[in-house]
Amino acid sequence: MKAKLLSTEGKYLEALIEIGGAEYCVMDELTPDVESIPKDEGVFEFEFANMLDEEESWESIFQGNPEKKKCLEQVHGWKYRAFGQIVSINPVKVDCGVLVEEDVLHTHDPKVVGEFVAFTISRLGGYAI
């Protein structure tokens, strides 16, 4: 996907990017050295690499999205609540609109495909590719 670097506090600190007109606060893994900084706040290819909250209960995940949303909502900093729909298993993939997250939970039960879920992303991050 295409992203635009809006600002950064420095390597491995908070950075603000824009994807599809929406702003996201991510861990800055985009600018590890001067040569890799996107020039003139230009557009670049971006891939998410997130850290999930592994302590969430199954019930919390499956009961957390009664409105059937597909989006990310910022909690604070680079912590987000993700809302999406399970689109496959082996591995489980959840379509959250701007991203598809893998391994939110582990199951081989095909009955979960199509279910709407919610989960916490402890650290939204990503890389320029």
Side-chain angles (χ1 to χ4, degrees):
M1 77 184 59
K2 301 282 187 188
K4 181 178 182 180
L5 180 64
L6 301 176
S7 65
T8 181
E9 293 179 11
K11 179 170 57 172
Y12 306 120
L13 300 175
E14 289 185 1
L16 193 60
I17 62 171
E18 181 181 309
I19 300 172
E23 293 182 4
Y24 299 94
C25 179
V26 299
M27 180 177 170
D28 185 352
E29 298 172 282
L30 304 166
T31 60
D33 56 56
V34 175
E35 293 79 36
S36 69
I37 297 173
K39 304 295 185 243
D40 302 320
E41 294 187 7
V43 175
F44 57 94
E45 289 293 324
F46 179 79
E47 184 174 311
F48 282 104
N50 306 317
M51 179 184 294
L52 303 181
D53 179 351
E54 296 181 13
E55 300 300 317
E56 280 192 85
S57 71
W58 186 274
E59 292 78 17
S60 170
I61 291 171
F62 277 91
Q63 294 174 3
N65 192 0
E67 297 172 358
K68 300 182 178 182
K69 299 187 284 187
K70 289 185 179 180
C71 63
L72 299 180
E73 293 180 0
Q74 187 177 28
V75 176
H76 61 81
W78 53 45
K79 184 175 184 177
Y80 284 78
R81 188 75 175 153
F83 299 90
Q85 183 177 28
I86 297 174
V87 293
S88 68
I89 57 172
N90 298 329
V92 173
K93 293 183 181 181
V94 180
D95 177 1
C96 299
V98 70
L99 70 93
V100 175
E101 189 67 56
E102 289 188 22
D103 291 328
V104 172
L105 51 96
H106 300 278
T107 183
H108 298 288
D109 187 348
K111 293 178 188 174
V112 302
V113 175
E115 293 291 321
F116 284 85
V117 296
F119 57 95
T120 300
I121 297 174
S122 300
R123 184 183 71 215
L124 193 66
Y127 301 91
I129 52 174

